[in-house]
Amino acid sequence: MTLLDGKAVAEKIKKELKEKIKNEPRKPILTVILVESEESIPSKIYVRNKIKAAKEIGIDVNVIEIPETIQEDELIDFIGAYNERLYLTDGLIVQLPLPKHINEHKVLNSINPRLDVDGFHVENAGLTLANKESMKPCTAYGIMRLLEAYNIDVTGKKVKIINRSMIVGKPLASLMMNNNATVTILHSKSENLKEECLTADILVTGVGIPNFIKRDYIKKGAIVIDVAINRDYSGFKPKICGDVDFKNVRPQTSFITPVPGGVGPMTVAMLMEQTYKAYLKNK
Ligand code: GUN
């Protein structure tokens, strides 16, 4: 069993980016919009990680915290001001989730696709699906790059993804198919989930339930990728954990991601890389 060390791979990517940015005439700029709400408490931690990574490599981050009371049209107007003034920023992301009264789809699609370093705009989503040059959703892209870093070729492999979101499951299915994998998307309505998982060569899980994936879900020698970031309150101190019963599943696998230190740092590294890419087009 080998750990897929996302933290180490992300560090290498960030180091290479830092070297490139050092030689640029100005720093790339990333704007992060964080709309405050009860659900945005974990978002603040994710945003903090993005700020830390950006600072390390020489990207300027402009975090805009907006009160929960903002209306959808006001938020869209606010984003519009950046869309029209490309000298203000190279990349713009809206941290998700948004408060319930705001339609995420409308907001994400109001971002100029050139600024869309999260790859969530339908134009970028469509280009990703079509296997064309695009900004790619960072978590899905980060998983592909993590596998690539370990020389894992997905060609012909049975890849099962338990997540059907626009952020993870759907774009990951596209990227996997574009790399010749045989892909199945599974979700809460899927029948025979355990049996499906048992035939996976590569199992990707993003469910949000600690210990959801147990040893008897995993074929001997499978690769397991855990996208979830859950809080486990069962012990004395709350801990971050994924969906996988890591201790028991680990011996059954050929490769496995830890949580934390697996997919999470790769997501951040991809955001940095795409911000640099957007900067190169905008400079
Ligand atoms: N919320 C959870 N993951 C993400 C992400 O990759 N980008 C943004 N903007 N919000 C998220």
Side-chain angles (χ1 to χ4, degrees), residues 13-56:
I13 292 169
K14 286 188 291 179
K15 204 169 151 215
E16 286 165 8
L17 277 174
K18 185 178 177 176
E19 285 306 306
K20 288 184 190 162
I21 291 170
K22 225 166 59 184
N23 296 320
E24 293 294 338
R26 69 164 174 88
K27 287 182 168 184
I29 310 164
L30 171 65
T31 299
V32 179
I33 297 179
L34 177 65
V35 181
E36 293 184 332
S37 71
E38 223 166 87
E39 293 86 43
S40 75
I41 296 165
S43 295
K44 285 194 174 166
I45 301 168
Y46 303 148
V47 169
R48 215 185 297 150
N49 291 339
K50 292 172 187 179
I51 297 169
K52 184 169 168 278
K55 278 197 176 145
E56 273 168 30

Side-chain angles (χ1 to χ4, degrees), residues 32-33 43 46-47 50 92-98 104 108 111 117-120 137-140 167-168 229 267-268 271:
V32 179
I33 297 179
S43 295
Y46 303 148
V47 169
K50 292 172 187 179
L92 184 146
I93 66 168
V94 176
Q95 190 63 31
L96 303 176
L98 288 170
E104 278 183 4
L108 295 176
I111 301 171
V117 287
D118 249 340
F120 293 160
C138 298
T139 299
I167 297 183
V168 179
I229 302 175
T267 301
V268 176
L271 180 66

Side-chain angles (χ1 to χ4, degrees), residues 59-277:
I59 291 177
D60 273 342
V61 189
N62 178 21
V63 179
I64 300 166
E65 292 192 27
I66 296 179
E68 184 175 10
T69 48
I70 192 166
Q71 294 303 307
E72 186 180 289
D73 53 350
E74 292 174 306
L75 182 57
I76 290 172
D77 284 350
F78 189 79
I79 292 168
Y82 283 88
N83 290 340
E84 287 158 19
R85 298 174 183 83
L86 292 176
Y87 54 87
L88 287 178
T89 195
D90 298 300
L92 184 146
I93 66 168
V94 176
Q95 190 63 31
L96 303 176
L98 288 170
K100 301 227 172 358
H101 67 278
I102 299 179
N103 181 321
E104 278 183 4
H105 176 78
K106 279 193 191 159
V107 170
L108 295 176
N109 285 293
S110 75
I111 301 171
N112 182 337
R114 279 182 57 166
L115 296 176
D116 174 36
V117 287
D118 249 340
F120 293 160
H121 191 285
V122 288
E123 183 176 314
N124 282 314
L127 288 167
T128 301
L129 182 65
N131 200 13
K132 301 292 178 212
E133 170 58 28
S134 63
M135 294 291 180
K136 298 176 184 65
C138 298
T139 299
Y141 190 32
I143 291 169
M144 300 310 289
R145 293 282 292 275
L146 183 58
L147 292 171
E148 194 186 302
Y150 284 82
N151 296 317
I152 296 167
D153 181 3
V154 302
T155 300
K157 295 282 185 289
K158 283 195 181 65
V159 176
K160 312 248 173 167
I161 304 166
I162 321 177
N163 183 299
R164 56 174 154 175
S165 71
M166 286 296 284
I167 297 183
V168 179
K170 286 175 185 162
L172 183 60
S174 303
L175 297 176
M176 286 285 184
M177 278 188 281
N178 295 342
N179 283 278
N180 304 311
T182 304
V183 181
T184 307
I185 292 260
L186 302 164
H187 48 78
S188 54
K189 303 276 191 303
S190 298
E191 291 177 358
N192 305 319
L193 188 80
K194 181 173 161 184
E195 286 69 29
E196 288 282 353
C197 292
L198 266 169
T199 59
D201 300 312
I202 301 177
L203 179 68
V204 182
T205 177
V207 175
I209 304 174
N211 294 322
F212 184 71
I213 300 295
K214 304 205 170 48
R215 186 185 174 118
D216 61 354
Y217 279 51
I218 307 297
K219 181 172 80 173
K220 184 78 192 152
I223 296 171
V224 174
I225 297 173
D226 195 342
V227 183
I229 302 175
N230 306 314
R231 274 160 192 78
D232 173 7
Y233 295 102
S234 65
F236 184 60
K237 249 172 66 178
K239 270 192 329 200
I240 299 286
C241 68
D243 289 342
V244 176
D245 174 9
F246 187 80
K247 186 165 65 88
N248 293 312
V249 166
R250 182 180 178 158
Q252 189 72 355
T253 64
S254 56
F255 293 90
I256 186 167
T257 57
V259 178
V263 176
M266 291 301 296
T267 301
V268 176
M270 292 304 99
L271 180 66
M272 300 301 122
E273 199 176 271
Q274 296 202 129
T275 302
Y276 179 59
K277 192 168 123 181

